[in-house]
Amino acid sequence: MLVETYRTPRKATSAEERYKQLSNREREVFQLIAEGHSTRQIADMLCVSISTIKSHRSKIMEKLDLDRPVKLVHLAIQLGLVDPELK
């Protein structure tokens, strides 16, 4: 059992630890997604292609161990990155 524990890749145990694994650009994209901006809007804001934003979103979700984009917003609220009240 002990050997199996070391052989199995470990995932970060908390949302904060997983968030710290993101690059600065991934954090920026994550913030913009959580604020409700569309993929096209984010691409225009950051002067990159839509496919680049889609790639960032995919990597963010993988690093944060999320299976649906809506969970990005839930996690951002948990981390205090966005206000849960709609304005």
Side-chain angles (χ1 to χ4, degrees):
M1 188 166 158
L2 181 62
V3 171
E4 189 61 34
T5 301
Y6 284 102
R7 292 169 79 193
T8 305
R10 293 180 53 194
K11 294 187 179 186
T13 56
S14 72
E16 293 86 7
E17 289 173 357
R18 292 190 313 264
Y19 178 74
K20 289 177 185 177
Q21 294 176 2
L22 300 180
S23 69
N24 289 336
R25 182 59 118 183
E26 289 169 339
R27 288 180 190 182
E28 185 177 17
V29 171
F30 177 49
Q31 180 75 39
L32 293 170
I33 292 169
E35 290 173 0
H37 297 283
S38 72
T39 301
R40 179 175 297 281
Q41 289 171 327
I42 296 169
D44 290 344
M45 289 175 176
L46 301 179
C47 300
V48 298
S49 71
I50 291 172
S51 62
T52 297
I53 298 304
K54 289 179 179 180
S55 176
H56 281 307
R57 184 178 58 226
S58 176
K59 290 176 185 174
I60 292 165
M61 291 178 60
E62 182 179 328
K63 287 181 179 181
L64 296 177
D65 195 28
L66 302 174
D67 60 354
R68 292 181 293 159
V70 71
K71 290 185 178 182
L72 288 170
V73 177
H74 292 148
L75 182 59
I77 292 169
Q78 283 180 330
L79 294 171
L81 301 176
V82 292
D83 185 356
E85 297 296 321
L86 295 176
K87 295 180 181 178

